[in-house]
Amino acid sequence: MKTILITGAGGGIGTHLRRELAGKYALRLSDIRPLKRLAEGERFVAGNIAKPGDMLRATKGVDAIVHLGGYSVEGPWEDILRANIIGCYNVFETARLNGVKRILFATSNHAVGFYRRDQMIDHRVYIKPDSRYGVSKVFGEALGSLYADKYGMEVFCMRIGNVNPEPIDRRRLSIWISPRDMAQLVTIGIEHAAIRFEIVYGVSNNRRSWYDNSNAARLGYRPLDDSEAFAAEVLAREKPGDPRAEVAQGGAFVHLETVPNPAPPPRHKANKAPAKRAAKAKRKISRKGARGKR
Ligand code: 15L
């Protein structure tokens, strides 16, 4: 049985994959936060992707890596730099040092989110990131390309839409991927014999899709689900959004500076300073206020 390392295994996609891939692979789960309640066939390795030493330990002796770890939405540059640029580099570089050939990289629809919704795009279009987050995903794709060409690694980049048991809004009707379709795509990424460097879209067989996912189909991907089954319900509760977001495939990522992160990483030390300064200033003001009252 192959041993597969999943980075960021505690996040939403990791949690679905653990369930879907159980029994097929020995799963080595890595995350910055401890994972409790491991199932049979799972092993936890604590690891911060921003620390090369942690990743050197985590990637040792595995057959493939599913790299999900990182900052998963638009947010502060320092966080994205640390998790998605430095962290991504650490994963590829330590995999190379440990002789792990195959990496499945969780890139995102936000690498091309500035394409319009009325455009059909395939895996060969020029990148059009919609956010700093999207730029970081493009970095990972470029790094994968370099490691494939220069070091002979086998890199499978999945531009994932939104993994969820059900699509949650109009935009996600076009980019939704069910957990079982996600697991099918990941299995292809692990098992396909002829992968050198590939970009595929991580989406189900959605009627409303704006992706030509023929590269995934060529590799054998046959998604079982279609968001259309949920469309009436989703559209009935949809409220009009910002017009810029409504036009772009990436939605609100094209105009927001931060998108709420469902699983925020611990704050970096450098980012604590402004918060500390703000707290100090607040204490000073309240002391002044108290003095003023006397
Ligand atoms: C992503 O890339 C994010 O990781 C995920 O949290 C969602 O925001 C998703 O895109 C999306 O576009 O819905």
Side-chain angles (χ1 to χ4, degrees):
M1 190 183 266
K2 287 182 180 160
T3 298
I4 308 299
L5 167 68
I6 302 182
T7 67
I13 303 180
T15 304
H16 288 303
L17 286 181
R18 285 172 65 186
R19 187 188 61 245
E20 299 287 333
L21 300 179
K24 272 184 157 180
Y25 301 112
L27 297 178
R28 185 181 298 176
L29 309 173
S30 155
D31 205 290
I32 199 162
R33 281 162 293 221
L35 292 182
K36 291 173 198 139
R37 284 196 286 277
L38 296 180
E40 209 186 310
E42 292 183 337
R43 215 188 105 206
F44 175 68
V45 184
N48 178 349
I49 53 173
K51 295 187 177 164
D54 284 10
M55 287 304 102
L56 205 54
R57 223 167 359 100
T59 58
K60 197 174 167 70
V62 300
D63 295 292
I65 299 168
V66 182
H67 177 39
L68 306 176
Y71 199 88
S72 67
V73 280
E74 179 61 326
W77 170 243
E78 293 74 19
D79 291 331
I80 289 172
L81 172 67
R82 191 177 65 259
N84 295 10
I85 306 283
I86 297 171
C88 185
Y89 175 78
N90 288 340
V91 172
F92 273 87
E93 178 59 7
T94 58
R96 180 182 79 82
L97 293 173
N98 276 325
V100 182
K101 278 193 95 172
R102 188 155 296 204
I103 298 194
L104 286 67
F105 172 55
T107 173
S108 167
N109 68 92
H110 297 290
V112 285
F114 252 114
Y115 278 98
R116 294 173 56 96
R117 295 186 187 187
D118 56 13
Q119 282 174 289
M120 176 71 82
I121 61 170
D122 71 6
H123 59 289
R124 287 170 300 203
V125 290
Y126 192 72
I127 44 133
K128 258 191 182 294
D130 57 24
S131 47
R132 291 176 289 276
Y133 167 70
V135 169
S136 75
K137 291 298 177 181
V138 169
F139 170 81
E141 294 179 4
L143 196 65
S145 175
L146 172 70
Y147 273 64
D149 288 339
K150 193 164 181 176
Y151 304 116
M153 282 175 59
E154 301 165 349
V155 181
F156 190 66
C157 296
M158 304 172 291
R159 284 185 182 157
I160 301 173
N162 189 245
V163 188
N164 237 315
E166 294 184 10
I168 53 177
D169 57 19
R170 181 195 295 273
R171 187 176 76 87
R172 268 70 170 230
L173 288 173
S174 300
I175 65 164
W176 175 66
I177 179 165
S178 66
R180 64 174 175 173
D181 285 343
M182 187 71 230
Q184 187 195 144
L185 193 62
V186 164
T187 305
I188 290 168
I190 294 171
E191 299 296 340
H192 200 289
I195 283 166
R196 293 294 168 264
F197 176 80
E198 301 293 348
I199 292 180
V200 296
Y201 289 94
V203 289
S204 280
N205 186 27
N206 305 319
R207 215 164 305 172
R208 293 169 191 251
S209 180
W210 43 63
Y211 303 120
D212 165 355
N213 208 8
S214 48
N215 198 34
R218 181 182 65 80
L219 295 165
Y221 181 52
R222 301 286 178 270
L224 300 171
D225 295 305
D226 178 350
S227 64
E228 207 54 29
F230 304 92
E233 202 186 313
V234 166
L235 295 175
R237 58 167 191 255
E238 182 84 7
K239 296 193 177 70
D242 184 292
R244 288 165 295 178
E246 298 287 304
V247 166
Q249 294 184 0
F253 282 63
V254 303
H255 68 94
L256 293 181
E257 292 303 329
T258 54
V259 171
N261 185 357
R267 303 295 297 172
H268 186 235
K269 270 197 193 121
N271 292 336
K272 277 188 185 156
K276 270 191 182 165
R277 270 203 300 276
K280 206 172 162 192
K282 219 171 162 188
R283 281 200 299 274
K284 222 172 165 184
I285 291 165
S286 66
R287 273 205 303 274
K288 267 191 186 167
R291 272 205 295 275
K293 273 185 207 144
R294 258 189 249 132

